[in-house]
Amino acid sequence: MKKVLVVEDELSIGKLLQYNLVKEGYEVDVVTDGIEGLERALSGEYTIILLDLMLPGKDGMEICRELRQEKNDTPIIMLTAKDSEIDKIVGLEIGADDYITKPFSPREVIARIRAVLRRLNKPEVKEAPIDLVEEEISLNELKIYPEKYEVYVKGKLIDFTPKEFELLLYLAKHKNRILSREQLLLAVWDYDYSGETRIVDVHISHLREKIEDNPKIPVYIKTARGFGYKFEVPK
Ligand code: CA
């Protein structure tokens, strides 16, 4: 049975999650304190962890970071109360798999859990048969090596997080086409609904900082106002 650990100090939210997850067939443990949360999480017996950000004892980010340091790769969905914390979570790349902003509906949480687990069950890129080996993509001064997960800008190797890399690769493979935020969300994050497209914008701005000479006047990743983004190859 799939076991969910909920680390949340607000009892009403913990109970709401527990009630709905149990109804969906999950086994659920709720703890209200960060230190106990970390201990439980380290046991490795959970399929997924829902982790509140602000907690007594130890906050969610610390827990997440410590788990990853301990090479515990249980998927984590962060629960955040403030929109302003999203940048922090995404920006710090603390190793969470997703985040949900409060207030959320139980339905949304369940959809996210499914999406995260579905994503993890996908076969690894590395297991692709030899004839599917992806060639390098060379776009002016930008070079992408899909197999090695490497990107060079003007001959310099640039660090990308896995999601940034996937997003860049998707954009590059669909160059000169306008792609909606929803389309990018589905392709890169595997969400089948359009509630949280802000994560796309945050990642686009990270990509621009990494590949554009001037992120404010991008030449590769253009904004298609009201629609989404378009990847162009500058002349
Ligand atoms: Ca809290």
Side-chain angles (χ1 to χ4, degrees), residues 26-65:
Y26 295 95
E27 196 180 317
V28 183
D29 286 340
V30 183
V31 297
T32 54
D33 162 278
I35 293 168
E36 199 193 343
L38 178 62
E39 258 168 45
R40 294 278 193 104
L42 280 170
S43 72
E45 60 183 295
Y46 296 97
T47 315
I48 193 160
I49 301 166
L50 302 180
L51 187 55
D52 185 28
L53 206 54
M54 303 299 287
L55 289 163
K58 215 177 244 304
D59 74 33
M61 270 199 232
E62 256 178 274
I63 295 174
C64 189
R65 207 173 289 129

Side-chain angles (χ1 to χ4, degrees), residues 89-195:
I89 295 172
V90 180
L92 287 174
E93 294 296 341
I94 53 170
D97 295 84
D98 201 355
Y99 66 86
I100 303 175
T101 46
K102 295 174 184 175
F104 45 71
S105 69
R107 221 178 112 244
E108 185 187 357
V109 175
I110 287 157
R112 291 298 187 89
I113 291 177
R114 287 198 185 128
V116 167
L117 296 180
R118 199 162 56 229
R119 218 144 69 208
L120 291 172
N121 287 332
K122 275 189 181 169
E124 294 278 327
V125 179
K126 290 181 196 102
E127 289 168 16
I130 303 295
D131 58 346
L132 286 179
V133 161
E134 294 186 80
E135 297 286 320
E136 89 169 70
I137 300 175
S138 185
L139 308 157
N140 208 338
E141 296 186 304
L142 180 71
K143 295 201 183 349
I144 307 171
Y145 298 87
E147 267 190 281
K148 293 189 281 184
Y149 270 74
E150 282 178 1
V151 180
Y152 288 81
V153 179
K154 294 182 179 168
K156 198 169 157 245
L157 180 63
I158 308 287
D159 264 342
F160 282 81
T161 68
K163 280 284 164 260
E164 286 168 4
F165 185 87
E166 280 180 54
L167 179 60
L168 179 65
L169 189 60
Y170 188 83
L171 287 166
K173 281 183 179 170
H174 299 83
K175 59 176 189 266
N176 301 325
R177 275 167 52 185
I178 291 178
L179 304 164
S180 70
R181 290 180 174 80
E182 287 76 13
Q183 199 174 341
L184 294 170
L185 197 60
L186 183 64
V188 178
W189 284 269
D190 204 12
Y191 293 169
D192 43 14
Y193 65 99
S194 56

